[in-house]
Amino acid sequence: MVRTSLIPKKQQISIEVPADYVGTEIEVIAFQKNEGVEREKTIPKKVSFSAISIDTAGFRFDRNEANER
């Protein structure tokens, strides 16, 4: 594969291809770097943690009890 970027000084340009491309069908595409590129605006996702609701009123964490085996 041959890929190159250039800034043409006139309307005509010529390129050299590898020897193994000679006699085979190749495709040449020319476009401006920013042509046809529209960046999609990403819509931030709304994050909700409302799938589970636990009442923690009156809960007291005891580290020693948690570490007991």
Side-chain angles (χ1 to χ4, degrees):
M1 180 172 121
V2 175
R3 182 177 186 163
T4 186
S5 293
L6 57 94
I7 300 173
K9 305 285 187 223
K10 55 185 179 179
Q11 274 190 297
Q12 272 190 331
I13 59 171
S14 62
I15 60 169
E16 289 188 32
V17 296
D20 58 330
Y21 282 23
V22 176
T24 64
E25 183 178 8
I26 63 170
E27 179 177 354
V28 178
I29 301 173
F31 58 92
Q32 291 178 349
K33 285 277 189 165
N34 59 357
E35 179 181 16
V37 177
E38 287 187 26
R39 302 282 181 202
E40 292 183 18
K41 294 181 180 178
T42 56
I43 300 170
K45 294 181 181 179
K46 294 182 180 180
V47 179
S48 172
F49 295 101
S50 60
I52 302 174
S53 179
I54 301 173
D55 182 18
T56 58
F59 177 77
R60 185 158 183 244
F61 179 76
D62 183 352
R63 182 180 311 270
N64 292 329
E65 181 183 339
N67 288 323
E68 285 180 3
R69 293 186 184 221

